[in-house]
Amino acid sequence: MQNIKLNIDKVQNFVSKENIFAYESKVKEASKQLHSKTGEGKDFLGWLTLPSEISEEDLAEIQETADLLREECDAVVVAGIGGSYLGSRAVIDALNNRFEWLAPKDDSPVILYAGNNISEDYLAELTEYLRGVRFGIINISKSGTTTETALAFRILKTQLEQQEGKEDAQKLIVAITDEKKGALRELATKEGYKTFVIPDNVGGRFSVLTPVGLLPIAVAGFDIRQLVRGAQDMQKLTADSVPFVENPAEIYAATRNRLYESGKKIEILVNYHPKLHYIGEWWKQLYGESDGKDLKGIFPAGVDFSTDLHSMGQWIQEGERSIFETVISIAEPNKKVEVPLDKDNLDGLNFLAGKRVDEVNKMAELGTQIAHVDGQVPNIRIEVPRLNEYYIGQLFYFFEKACGLSGYVLGVNPFNQPGVEAYKKNMFALLNKPGFEKESEEIKKRL
Ligand code: PA5
């Protein structure tokens, strides 16, 4: 079995290998802090050893619940926001057949998402779609009080109870939340829902390898054991004992910090397969919430190429030179399509006849890399042998490990997110939520 590989060759026109490797002691110090749990946010380091600590019993319980939902339901709604849905969506979107999504050919339920926005139209269309459909709900919230998720759950639960009766509905709802506290825990206990626990020491954006990610992924029919195995192998490959020069997470953390120091303030995660869009969304949350604080941090952006080469490509080629790219490159696609020969050749494409579409995609990738590097955009490449559960597991752990290291090197606490409370306070004040009377009075004076 191969591993994913980090390639920083196309960064070295901008920052030399020596300059990157000069970060070794800082990165190793960060690694010591992580592993000895002595740095900031040390109470949220459960993710570090999650892959090696997940037991066969844990996985069997998740799989059993997933099988029940798969048997019972034609659709399953994953209600959650941020770290409570992006990881599972990233895997499911990457591995699902995009065109069978709403009408799976096998017995898999359709996976739908809710609780990640407050759009009335979205909820109206979702509930309309679910009318008369036998559906289940996986309600995920660590705090148990997130408004977007709680609101969607209230609406979906009401509909499910109306469609199936309260007793049946109760069997089709699973709650994933804190072990003891929070409104969702209380509700789940009172209603008798099947529950799973999000460990106290695992923050939302690091929770994909807990039931938060694993249950929806298993319900969608994907192999959670392979996902975990990939993460386990990457845990070993990025361990503190692995020398810096051989440690991909440490080199990635060093490279992005060095580029940031040299004025590259924006990192764009690039993919060449639309299936990877949500891997980008997951990554954006992981790095954005972890790095962006104390008036510091690389801004994480994402693009889907070649689609976005026809829109954002101009900015990337010739806009302000404050960016670098990290390209996820998939070596071998899972499917095969060849370009047919056309005797009239009116489109002039016969020079491609007999070639695989991926060959064209790969040349677009290479041509873009050369153009962007010529345009002063450093390129990091992450080479993934193919798209499957195992390599996505490797990718998740690689990015998580590098994120923790990167934050410590930058000098921030990568495991908190105090900034996300600001909008919530204002929203609650504007909605007259009990307990927010003072804020309510103050904010109304500003309107
Ligand atoms: O990373 C985080 O902690 C956040 O993005 C949370 O995942 C998100 O806000 C959802 O929180 P909760 O699971 O408490 O509903």
Side-chain angles (χ1 to χ4, degrees):
M1 193 69 90
Q2 292 166 277
N3 297 309
I4 64 167
K5 278 204 193 82
L6 177 73
N7 183 330
I8 58 163
D9 291 351
K10 299 294 178 223
V11 161
Q12 289 162 40
N13 291 357
F14 308 91
V15 287
S16 66
K17 206 166 193 167
E18 294 72 56
N19 273 332
I20 294 169
F21 280 38
Y23 272 76
E24 175 173 352
S25 57
K26 278 189 197 163
V27 175
K28 277 295 178 199
E29 179 52 37
S31 177
K32 295 268 163 323
Q33 281 183 303
L34 273 184
H35 288 276
S36 60
K37 299 193 167 55
T38 51
E40 279 196 281
K42 58 184 181 335
D43 296 332
F44 293 95
L45 294 174
W47 58 271
L48 254 184
T49 46
L50 262 181
S52 55
E53 281 172 7
I54 297 177
S55 67
E56 182 44 44
E57 293 77 66
D58 293 338
L59 290 170
E61 191 188 351
I62 292 169
Q63 192 63 57
E64 194 186 318
T65 306
D67 290 345
L68 264 172
L69 287 174
R70 282 174 66 79
E71 219 164 273
E72 283 288 334
C73 304
D74 295 320
V76 171
V77 186
V78 178
I81 193 166
S84 287
Y85 96 108
L86 284 169
S88 61
R89 182 151 198 185
V91 178
I92 294 167
D93 273 28
L95 300 180
N96 244 347
N97 180 320
R98 290 172 81 74
F99 301 98
E100 286 173 15
W101 180 59
L102 275 178
K105 283 194 186 138
D106 61 12
D107 283 341
S108 289
V110 173
I111 308 293
L112 303 164
Y113 302 90
N116 56 58
N117 64 66
I118 324 176
S119 161
E120 189 160 341
D121 282 352
Y122 185 97
L123 281 166
E125 288 169 12
L126 176 65
T127 49
E128 250 165 56
Y129 172 83
L130 290 170
R131 200 158 298 141
V133 172
R134 178 125 172 120
F135 74 96
I137 310 171
I138 305 176
N139 190 24
I140 310 175
S141 178
K142 186 171 187 215
S143 62
T145 53
T146 300
T147 311
E148 287 88 339
T149 308
L151 190 61
F153 180 64
R154 179 186 279 217
I155 290 165
L156 290 167
K157 169 182 183 283
T158 306
Q159 179 170 353
L160 189 61
E161 288 176 352
Q162 278 163 1
Q163 288 184 191
E164 306 290 343
K166 198 163 168 64
E167 214 172 291
D168 242 21
Q170 177 243 330
K171 296 186 195 118
L172 301 174
I173 296 174
V174 179
I176 307 181
T177 189
D178 186 88
E179 190 179 3
K180 297 193 187 98
K181 51 183 193 302
L184 179 54
R185 170 57 59 187
E186 224 173 281
L187 180 76
T189 308
K190 184 169 165 286
E191 300 280 1
Y193 301 147
K194 167 77 186 160
T195 62
F196 288 93
V197 170
I198 309 176
D200 266 352
N201 60 358
V202 180
R205 58 190 173 277
F206 289 87
S207 67
V208 61
L209 297 168
T210 71
V212 170
L214 298 178
L215 181 64
I217 292 166
V219 172
F222 299 113
D223 188 338
I224 54 174
R225 286 181 175 80
Q226 281 299 321
L227 188 83
V228 169
R229 209 162 68 75
Q232 281 167 352
D233 287 351
M234 189 48 68
Q235 187 182 338
K236 290 180 200 138
L237 290 166
T238 58
D240 185 45
S241 55
V242 176
F244 178 80
V245 285
E246 291 164 24
N247 193 317
E250 294 184 359
I251 293 177
Y252 179 54
T255 307
R256 59 196 303 283
N257 272 286
R258 178 65 190 95
L259 287 167
Y260 181 63
E261 205 193 356
S262 74
K264 302 292 186 188
K265 306 288 186 196
I266 300 165
E267 179 175 7
I268 305 176
L269 193 80
V270 178
N271 71 69
Y272 281 82
H273 295 270
K275 282 166 165 282
L276 296 181
H277 177 80
Y278 269 90
I279 296 267
E281 295 303 303
W282 171 85
W283 173 89
K284 272 159 57 181
Q285 185 204 359
L286 182 67
Y287 281 82
E289 264 188 343
S290 302
D291 270 4
K293 50 199 67 149
D294 307 337
L295 306 178
K296 295 194 266 194
I298 295 173
F299 182 85
V303 289
D304 305 323
F305 284 172
S306 66
T307 314
D308 293 336
L309 282 171
H310 295 259
S311 54
M312 294 305 289
Q314 171 59 34
W315 200 104
I316 295 170
Q317 191 68 49
E318 295 183 345
E320 189 182 274
R321 301 298 71 190
S322 50
I323 54 174
F324 66 98
E325 290 175 318
T326 296
V327 179
I328 299 183
S329 180
I330 309 293
E332 183 61 32
N334 289 321
K335 310 263 166 71
K336 199 172 169 184
V337 177
E338 275 181 12
V339 181
L341 183 75
D342 185 300
K343 75 172 170 32
D344 297 327
N345 194 29
L346 292 178
D347 54 12
L349 287 181
N350 269 355
F351 74 102
L352 297 176
K355 286 193 196 301
R356 286 182 63 181
V357 171
D358 193 57
E359 225 179 305
V360 183
N361 204 22
K362 287 284 184 323
M363 290 310 112
E365 189 180 324
L366 184 57
T368 304
Q369 184 195 64
I370 295 168
H372 288 183
V373 171
D374 284 349
Q376 304 301 304
V377 180
N379 261 244
I380 299 173
R381 256 165 80 88
I382 296 165
E383 296 161 6
V384 180
R386 62 190 322 139
L387 213 44
N388 61 25
E389 292 90 334
Y390 176 78
Y391 289 120
I392 297 176
Q394 284 205 0
L395 202 59
F396 277 152
Y397 192 86
F398 160 78
F399 276 135
E400 288 180 357
K401 186 71 187 285
C403 181
L405 295 168
S406 219
Y408 279 167
V409 171
L410 182 67
V412 298
N413 174 357
F415 307 113
N416 66 4
Q417 54 283 328
V420 300
E421 296 310 315
Y423 96 91
K424 292 185 195 168
K425 194 182 85 190
N426 290 344
M427 178 175 76
F428 293 149
L430 289 164
L431 286 167
N432 300 315
K433 183 173 174 170
F436 285 77
E437 291 76 10
K438 201 167 139 267
E439 289 86 348
S440 218
E441 245 172 65
E442 273 165 22
I443 204 162
K444 281 175 188 157
K445 282 188 213 145
R446 293 172 57 184
L447 301 177

